[in-house]
Amino acid sequence: MCAVADVPRGEVRPFTVADTPVAVVNTDEGVFAILDMCSHAEVPLSEGEVEDCTLECYMHGSRFDLRTGEPLELPAVAPVPVFPVRITDAQVLVDLDNPLTTATQES
Ligand code: FES
């Protein structure tokens, strides 16, 4: 999908894989992949800020846990799918077929 070096530590970068927008986040706790779409209003999470193991939506400030996709702050209440990541030969491999969470939108 991308090289680990493409995503500096503490930062997030957007990628598209098979028409799926994915935000890859490099943290002190490892590399994470989360659907690049906030569950509150469908804006790209990759434009937000990384803090520890969370990613904050730039629009209204909901912060998502990168391990679970769960929102930690309102206004978002639905989780964002996160995808298993494997690092092989300094490449980030993301398993889009087996998201750890499945909800994408609030109703
Ligand atoms: S669009 Fe992300 S919190 Fe509102």
Side-chain angles (χ1 to χ4, degrees), residues 5-106:
D6 291 339
V7 186
R9 182 73 55 93
E11 296 193 19
V12 53
R13 293 287 184 270
F15 297 92
T16 300
V17 182
D19 294 329
T20 300
V22 179
V24 175
V25 189
N26 193 348
T27 77
D28 289 339
E29 297 182 46
V31 175
F32 296 90
I34 187 167
L35 185 70
D36 195 8
M37 188 180 297
C38 183
S39 62
H40 182 235
E42 298 189 33
V43 301
L45 289 173
S46 59
E47 295 184 21
E49 294 290 323
V50 179
E51 185 179 311
D52 298 327
C53 204
T54 68
L55 182 57
E56 182 183 66
C57 178
Y58 76 92
M59 184 66 80
H60 303 117
S62 284
R63 185 169 290 280
F64 294 89
D65 189 318
L66 292 166
R67 293 163 292 209
T68 65
E70 291 289 338
L72 304 176
E73 297 169 12
L74 296 172
V77 294
V80 174
V82 293
F83 305 103
V85 170
R86 192 158 45 93
I87 308 293
T88 301
D89 295 332
Q91 296 292 310
V92 179
L93 306 177
V94 177
D95 184 357
L96 294 180
D97 294 330
N98 295 293
L100 303 176
T101 54
T102 55
T104 57
Q105 288 299 307
E106 301 169 17

